[in-house]
Amino acid sequence: MFDLEVIKHVYEKMDSQIKTARSILNRPMTLTEKVLYSHLNKNLDSPYLGGNSYVDFNPDRVAMQDATAQMALLQFMMAGKNKVAVPSTVHCDHLIQAKKNASLDLAQALDVNGEVYDFLESVSSKYGIGFWKPGAGIIHQVVLENYAFPGGMMIGTDSHTVNAGGLGMIAIGVGGADAVDVMAGMPWELKFPKQIGIHLVGELNGWTTAKDIILKVAGLLTVKGGTGAIIEYFGSGAKKLSCTGKGTICNMGAEVGATTSIFGYDQQMEKYLSATGRKEVAFLANKIKENLMADDDIYSDPQKYYDQVLEIDLSNLEPHINGPFTPDRSTPLSKIKEEAKINNWPTNVQVGLIGSCTNSSYEDISRAASIAKQATKMGLKTKAKLTITPGSEQVRYTIERDGLIKDFETLGAEVFANACGPCIGQWARSGSEKQEKNTIVHSFNRNFAKRADGNPNTHAFVASPEMVTAIAIAGDLTFNPITDFLINANGEKLKLEAPKGFDLPPEGFDVKDLGYQAPSKKTPFFKEIKVNPKSERLQLLKPFLKWDGKNIQGMRLLIKAKGKCTTDHISMAGPWLKYRGHLDNISENMLTGAINYFNNKPNLIMNFISGEYDAVPTTQREYQSAGIQTMVVGDENYGEGSSREHAAMEPRFLGVRVILVRSFARIHETNLKKQGMLGLTFSDSKDYDLIKEDDIFNFINLNKFKEGEDLLLEVKHSDDTEDIIKCKHTYNNSQIDWFKAGSALNLIKSEFKS
Ligand code: MIC
Ligand code: SF4
């Protein structure tokens, strides 16, 4: 068992911290407030304002996955520390490509990514970081099974860190530079969140699952509706959901932009803690139960205390199918036939994929397997391909022991390694290069264009693992297992029964080798970390230059991005994951997915040096060599999705000075600030329309950059007219210092030296 001492320490202090906070707030407290106020870095003297106050916290733990850990650790190595200040782990899950089957794919990954794994392993052992080897599982499942605890607070370099809210933890996704702060023993800053309460009543039944709750919530809140807020779930319906089901719901809170989501401690969590070898944690949590839930007054009058309240009756909730291209396009099952017709979606499903950090628990797999088993009994085969990626070695070992993998394989499904795989484009899908219009259905969380297989014409739909299995059997997106029949080889008309399964394995979890390697006890451990200067995969960082204190003048527009511009559009994953430790190489993908407003094409912008249309990174590199300053303009929710700070570091590295957008997603905005970029928003969102392809931009008052004061930007158009645009910013004084120093890391380094 991990962290018992840490947990005891948190629980010992919690009561008195909550009492102090309650006396200062002078009203009942939500669970979010209890956890946040018991992790403050400084003593509280007045209440914090949701959506307003910047607050310093002391998280209990840091988790990093391999694709983001490389950059996080390259930065940590520059911070001048010899050991991490809080328990931290690295998880090797994103770099394994799904191609043939679990063992061949894992062997291939060890070979192809050997240099990166060796780097992560040696940095981990040098600085006292726990290391989860390739094949151990997906970061968020491993965290839920081993580290998450009710009332705790953690950060992780991945947006779905929020998964741990299923076990009552405030767990927040961040960029690597934030993780560096905490690992270096500094407080971690967050704008105190607003709070959304979601009241769940009734009980799930039939084909409806926990996934459908969050698919519905995504439709209600949209991809930006949770920005700056923590979502707290409560009510009789919440208590009936399994702990991993709660995890699924919190996980996909990232898809509505929420800072995180959380459930109050209950018997389901107690059961899960015991089943995963943490009876002692459950015992400790039981003793302070009331601190791990909101006060009763909150639950009896939620409207009074949350900024927004939604209610969902689980008894009437239908299964949902979300997509394509965005996770908030939510369609109830009974409407899918109609919607598919109106929108001309291809209904012939080619592949159904089960897995990812959001849906790969024992419960998910056992319920989906019950559908597979029925189908085999009925003499059915899957019309579409079906693939499964288990979430952790513990789950994989247990489902194999319990015959569930067999149930899938008998139906013809393929089982991939315990990893992210197709969810992040690590999928050698044959034929995807032909870019044909096609449909896939998966139980993952994100379905942005090109994400799973690189094909912009793949229509990816998100559904529960149970529904994915049923749809893969039918091979038809519009198949409704509640009303529709299937026909087997004998021509018999058959109907699937609703899925059945176990929230936890009846025989208990089992595993031979978790895949964990503890850090060396001898830290600080004077091992030299070597990076081959010729490496294509790893490159040591050089500090970014500090700001010269002057107004930036004569900037050109690099690109005006139109519509959705997620981190997948800014720094694509899939084949590019291999360059996550090499800033120069990965910068070659900068903004290559963003759509140019002026020609509706990706990666084709006007290069004013050559006077011709060219690729975004090539053009920017030319501007950089010629000393031409540039800026990027974007639309709403710019930087939605991932925590990958590459999306902020690449423009910084290639010399872009400003990102000016209609609105930002939270993690990306912070990442830009941390890397010393200017991330600004249009004060009047209509001003986006004023920006022309050949404009020149001059700041008027950047030399007086101050907290709370708008920046003025002069926009000179080629017809000799000009506009003055007001740009809002959310930099506080210490964040302005990051900008001045060139990056937050430059500032940390100078503070440690002095
Ligand atoms: C994702 O789901 O988009 C990722 C890949 O897990 C990212 C992290 C990354 O880009 O490495 C995330 O969600 O933060
Ligand atoms: Fe991995 Fe996909 Fe989860 Fe991201 S969303 S951590 S890529 S499984």
Side-chain angles (χ1 to χ4, degrees):
M1 194 195 325
F2 300 92
D3 285 358
L4 193 59
E5 289 314 308
V6 175
I7 298 170
K8 275 187 187 154
H9 184 65
V10 171
Y11 285 0
E12 267 158 25
K13 294 183 310 177
M14 209 166 179
D15 206 47
S16 70
Q17 283 162 323
I18 292 175
K19 275 199 186 109
T20 313
R22 189 181 279 110
S23 70
I24 291 172
L25 295 177
N26 200 17
R27 57 166 173 78
M29 287 173 78
T30 64
L31 171 58
T32 298
E33 288 165 339
K34 289 184 183 179
V35 183
L36 290 179
Y37 280 112
S38 56
H39 284 85
L40 295 179
N41 177 255
K42 285 198 202 92
N43 286 339
L44 183 68
D45 38 39
S46 57
Y48 293 123
L49 228 66
N52 225 317
S53 327
Y54 278 103
V55 182
D56 280 344
F57 293 100
N58 291 336
D60 304 315
R61 163 168 281 287
V62 175
M64 292 163 280
Q65 43 88 343
D66 51 3
T68 49
Q70 297 170 61
M71 210 39 97
L73 294 176
L74 283 164
Q75 294 177 82
F76 184 71
M77 283 161 62
M78 290 167 79
K81 291 271 161 181
N82 49 26
K83 191 181 185 321
V84 286
V86 299
S88 306
T89 46
V90 164
H91 302 256
C92 297
D93 53 359
H94 280 62
L95 300 179
I96 305 169
Q97 194 187 43
K99 192 168 181 184
K100 296 229 162 70
N101 60 46
S103 59
L104 287 177
D105 295 350
L106 187 57
Q108 172 79 2
L110 290 171
D111 182 30
V112 175
N113 305 315
E115 181 188 4
V116 171
Y117 293 145
D118 285 349
F119 169 77
L120 293 174
E121 188 183 341
S122 42
V123 179
S124 298
S125 101
K126 179 173 169 84
Y127 294 108
I129 299 170
F131 183 70
W132 290 80
K133 297 183 219 165
I138 308 174
I139 176 169
H140 312 302
Q141 286 297 321
V142 173
V143 165
L144 195 73
E145 286 168 17
N146 296 281
Y147 299 112
F149 66 95
M153 179 176 193
M154 68 177 281
I155 58 164
T157 60
D158 189 283
S159 64
H160 292 106
T161 303
V162 293
N163 191 66
L167 202 35
M169 189 171 208
I170 293 272
I172 302 182
V174 296
D178 286 52
V180 171
D181 288 351
V182 178
M183 292 191 295
M186 301 192 345
W188 175 67
E189 186 193 69
L190 177 75
K191 196 180 260 181
F192 205 83
K194 289 188 175 242
Q195 297 177 67
I196 300 176
I198 301 194
H199 188 192
L200 302 178
V201 297
E203 192 167 1
L204 293 173
N205 55 70
W207 281 84
T208 312
T209 66
K211 180 76 156 198
D212 300 300
I213 301 176
I214 188 62
L215 293 179
K216 166 92 184 166
V217 168
L220 293 173
L221 288 178
T222 78
V223 286
K224 56 182 291 225
T227 309
I230 291 189
I231 304 178
E232 201 168 304
Y233 290 88
F234 59 93
S236 55
K239 293 204 180 102
K240 294 186 191 120
L241 296 172
S242 71
C243 181
T244 49
K246 292 178 167 90
T248 297
I249 294 172
C250 293
N251 180 298
M252 265 194 83
E255 273 51 68
V256 297
T259 303
T260 192
S261 307
I262 193 168
F263 281 82
Y265 182 64
D266 62 15
Q267 278 177 357
Q268 305 284 351
M269 294 190 192
E270 180 180 351
K271 253 173 46 184
Y272 185 76
L273 283 169
S274 303
T276 49
R278 292 173 290 169
K279 274 210 175 75
E280 263 176 282
V281 178
F283 175 76
L284 295 174
N286 283 337
K287 291 209 281 195
I288 56 154
K289 255 189 199 147
E290 61 294 344
N291 289 337
L292 306 174
M293 297 180 248
D295 291 339
D296 287 342
D297 292 349
I298 303 272
Y299 294 142
S300 50
D301 193 0
Q303 302 283 353
K304 188 164 163 195
Y305 299 104
Y306 295 106
D307 296 289
Q308 184 185 352
V309 178
L310 302 176
E311 183 171 303
I312 299 178
D313 183 352
L314 306 188
S315 306
N316 303 326
L317 182 68
E318 265 192 75
H320 279 64
I321 298 182
N322 286 20
F325 306 119
T326 182
D328 60 347
R329 176 160 193 164
S330 190
T331 307
L333 187 59
S334 58
K335 297 264 159 38
I336 192 81
K337 288 193 171 74
E338 207 177 307
E339 281 294 305
K341 200 161 178 201
I342 298 172
N343 295 292
N344 200 19
W345 294 332
T347 54
N348 177 19
V349 174
Q350 299 200 344
V351 193
L353 305 103
I354 296 175
S356 98
C357 56
T358 181
N359 273 113
S360 50
S361 65
Y362 188 88
E363 181 179 35
D364 291 328
I365 307 279
S366 67
R367 285 173 53 96
S370 79
I371 304 298
K373 232 165 136 175
Q374 282 184 53
T376 305
K377 265 206 200 127
M378 292 171 174
L380 292 161
K381 284 267 165 243
T382 56
K383 291 221 170 96
K385 256 176 92 166
L386 181 62
T387 72
I388 292 109
T389 40
S392 71
E393 177 56 12
Q394 176 156 275
V395 164
R396 194 210 60 79
Y397 191 93
T398 311
I399 57 172
E400 180 166 54
R401 180 202 65 193
D402 294 353
L404 305 178
I405 290 204
K406 195 91 217 271
D407 292 338
F408 284 115
E409 285 178 343
T410 314
L411 193 67
E414 279 174 66
V415 181
F416 291 141
N418 314 318
C420 303
C423 177
I424 192 53
Q426 291 282 33
W427 183 23
R429 183 180 183 197
S430 64
S432 63
E433 68 290 345
K434 289 188 216 139
Q435 307 220 335
E436 282 162 356
K437 189 168 169 185
N438 76 102
T439 289
I440 62 173
V441 185
H442 62 59
S443 73
F444 311 159
N445 36 36
R446 295 197 171 134
N447 54 350
F448 304 138
K450 288 164 95 172
R451 184 172 163 96
D453 62 359
N455 173 2
N457 302 316
T458 293
H459 289 51
F461 292 86
V462 185
S464 69
E466 295 87 322
M467 196 56 68
V468 169
T469 312
I471 292 176
I473 293 166
D476 180 356
L477 178 71
T478 66
F479 174 67
N480 180 344
I482 302 167
T483 52
D484 298 350
F485 289 85
L486 294 162
I487 297 178
N488 69 7
N490 303 331
E492 290 162 315
K493 235 174 123 188
L494 303 155
K495 199 147 169 208
L496 293 170
E497 271 171 30
K500 286 199 185 72
F502 303 93
D503 56 347
L504 291 163
E507 310 284 316
F509 279 113
D510 204 357
V511 66
K512 257 218 184 91
D513 177 7
L514 273 178
Y516 175 68
Q517 186 172 303
S520 161
K521 290 245 163 51
K522 280 193 256 143
T523 48
F525 188 65
F526 296 101
K527 184 170 179 181
E528 201 196 336
I529 306 294
K530 288 204 189 104
V531 169
N532 180 349
K534 295 215 183 83
S535 169
E536 285 203 329
R537 306 278 308 254
L538 296 166
Q539 180 187 44
L540 293 174
L541 294 170
K542 291 203 192 87
F544 293 129
L545 288 183
K546 59 189 260 208
W547 175 49
D548 62 7
K550 296 193 189 127
N551 277 321
I552 307 173
Q553 303 268 310
M555 283 181 287
R556 277 231 169 253
L557 177 73
L558 179 67
I559 181 171
K560 176 168 165 178
K562 183 176 174 185
K564 213 173 183 61
C565 192
T566 72
T567 44
D568 282 345
H569 296 78
I570 307 172
S571 173
M572 196 197 171
W576 289 93
L577 284 173
K578 64 173 173 291
Y579 296 128
R580 284 291 186 86
H582 197 295
L583 187 51
D584 197 1
N585 285 348
I586 199 163
S587 294
E588 233 10 70
N589 78 0
M590 184 188 73
L591 283 157
T592 49
I595 301 299
N596 179 3
Y597 179 90
F598 301 104
N599 62 7
N600 288 321
K601 296 211 166 94
N603 205 20
L604 200 64
I605 54 166
M606 175 49 86
N607 176 335
F608 284 94
I609 295 181
S610 65
E612 279 168 20
Y613 279 90
D614 208 339
V616 183
T618 319
T619 307
Q620 178 55 32
R621 283 191 198 266
E622 281 187 31
Y623 287 153
Q624 188 179 33
S625 325
I628 299 171
Q629 316 279 350
T630 56
M631 60 183 270
V632 167
V633 168
D635 214 320
E636 297 284 2
N637 213 21
Y638 181 90
E640 165 189 348
S642 160
S643 69
R644 63 190 77 140
E645 63 199 326
H646 306 74
M649 291 178 97
E650 292 173 25
R652 178 75 176 102
F653 178 71
L654 293 185
V656 177
R657 306 298 300 269
V658 184
I659 312 283
L660 172 61
V661 299
R662 281 186 157 139
S663 64
F664 279 115
R666 175 190 63 87
I667 309 180
H668 186 62
E669 185 177 19
T670 311
N671 286 346
L672 288 169
K673 291 178 177 177
K674 287 254 159 176
Q675 300 301 337
M677 291 281 293
L678 272 179
L680 310 175
T681 53
F682 290 101
S683 176
D684 179 353
S685 91
K686 288 201 284 302
D687 286 352
Y688 171 90
D689 300 325
L690 296 176
I691 310 294
K692 307 220 167 62
E693 199 171 23
D694 53 357
D695 287 343
I696 302 286
F697 307 87
N698 304 309
F699 274 109
I700 297 176
N701 60 349
L702 180 65
N703 55 349
K704 302 199 188 79
F705 193 12
K706 264 200 206 83
E707 182 172 333
E709 271 181 33
D710 291 346
L711 290 172
L712 298 176
L713 188 68
E714 179 186 67
V715 186
K716 287 201 174 276
H717 306 297
S718 55
D719 60 1
D720 281 343
T721 59
E722 64 174 54
D723 287 292
I724 306 284
I725 286 185
K726 249 200 211 167
C727 308
K728 281 197 295 191
H729 71 82
T730 59
Y731 289 73
N732 60 23
N733 285 332
S734 44
Q735 295 169 343
I736 291 177
D737 287 342
W738 304 342
F739 173 70
K740 288 184 177 160
S743 72
L745 189 61
N746 286 351
L747 204 67
I748 303 184
K749 269 176 28 186
S750 65
E751 278 166 12
F752 283 153
K753 271 193 206 128
S754 55

